Amino acid sequence: MGNSEQIVIAVLISSLIAIRSYKRNSLNVSGAIAGFLVMTIHFAAGFRFGAILLAFFISSSKLTKVGEDRKQLVDAHFQSGGQRNWIQVLSNSGISAVLVTIIWKLTAGEDKCLDSTKETSLVTALIGGVIGHYCCCNGDTWSSEIGVLSDDQPRLITTFKFPRLWKIFVLVSTSQESPDCAVTGRSFLCEAAPFLLICSE
């Protein structure tokens, strides 16, 4: 597949998902525009990167809607539906978009998986950065969305002491580290499976 064809497909997929996400109140207008841009960059660079972004976005959007009634009681700033704006979109995908753009430039759009050979060591490091970035984003989002529903008092992960102020790190969140990274890694290896599933719903 040529670069121009990949870009056209990236624009089409990103448009459909951005519009759908806006209609489902997962993104507001600014979030949908920012989401379209970063998603286009990810998919244009390779379906693997688009799959990672979608795995994060879809799982986080679903978890935001879990226990909405209870979250409204605990968090005064909680928005029903969990609409994300452009700031939240870029906070979670801006760094990755930069890394993906560099990978795209270095590989000329050629699909690369993790490889430790000398010729692709830089690309491998950058891909690892993208995967690690979304593992971090997933860990943060999943722990806050699930953790806020816990009856346990939160603890700092650095000292395991009870903080004076509310923190997003709670005991239940520590169990999310493996699942969220597993979703991120598998979406990279399985390439486009996650976005095919969401588009077919």
Side-chain angles (χ1 to χ4, degrees):
M1 184 183 297
N3 281 341
S4 57
E5 294 173 336
Q6 181 104 355
I7 292 171
V8 170
I9 292 172
V11 169
L12 289 174
I13 293 171
S14 301
S15 300
L16 289 171
I17 294 172
I19 292 169
R20 183 186 176 106
S21 299
Y22 172 72
K23 288 182 176 179
R24 290 194 166 193
N25 293 322
S26 294
L27 298 171
N28 65 13
V29 174
S30 69
I33 293 170
F36 165 76
L37 293 174
V38 296
M39 202 176 305
T40 299
I41 291 170
H42 280 66
F43 273 111
F47 289 125
R48 294 181 191 276
F49 304 113
I52 290 178
L53 173 57
L54 280 184
F56 162 68
F57 175 64
I58 293 167
S59 63
S60 298
S61 296
K62 297 289 186 186
L63 286 176
T64 298
K65 296 178 181 180
V66 173
E68 283 188 334
D69 295 339
R70 189 170 175 186
K71 288 176 183 176
Q72 286 175 337
L73 296 175
V74 176
D75 185 359
H77 301 289
F78 178 77
Q79 269 189 313
S80 181
Q83 276 194 328
R84 265 74 171 180
N85 59 28
W86 70 272
I87 296 174
Q88 292 165 306
V89 170
L90 293 183
S91 294
N92 285 304
S93 60
I95 293 174
S96 176
V98 172
L99 295 177
V100 165
T101 302
I102 296 171
I103 294 169
W104 190 12
K105 181 71 175 174
L106 292 174
T107 62
E110 184 183 347
D111 180 48
K112 296 283 185 182
C113 196
L114 293 172
D115 186 0
S116 59
T117 59
K118 186 176 179 181
E119 292 76 14
T120 59
S121 58
L122 176 58
V123 174
T124 298
L126 291 169
I127 291 173
V130 174
I131 295 172
H133 171 80
Y134 282 116
C135 282
C136 251
C137 290
N138 258 356
D140 173 62
T141 304
W142 287 27
S143 63
S144 58
E145 295 295 349
I146 298 173
V148 74
L149 300 174
S150 173
D151 292 326
D152 292 329
Q153 188 170 348
R155 291 177 185 260
L156 290 171
I157 61 171
T158 51
T159 62
F160 295 103
K161 293 181 180 178
F162 296 112
R164 293 178 184 174
L165 300 174
W166 173 254
K167 303 289 183 181
I168 63 169
F169 300 108
V170 292
L171 291 175
V172 72
S173 72
T174 59
S175 66
Q176 299 310 313
E177 292 179 9
S178 295
D180 57 44
C181 287
V183 167
T184 303
R186 286 175 184 166
S187 64
F188 180 80
L189 295 175
C190 295
E191 298 191 33
F195 83 81
L196 288 175
L197 287 173
I198 192 64
C199 290
S200 65
E201 285 184 358

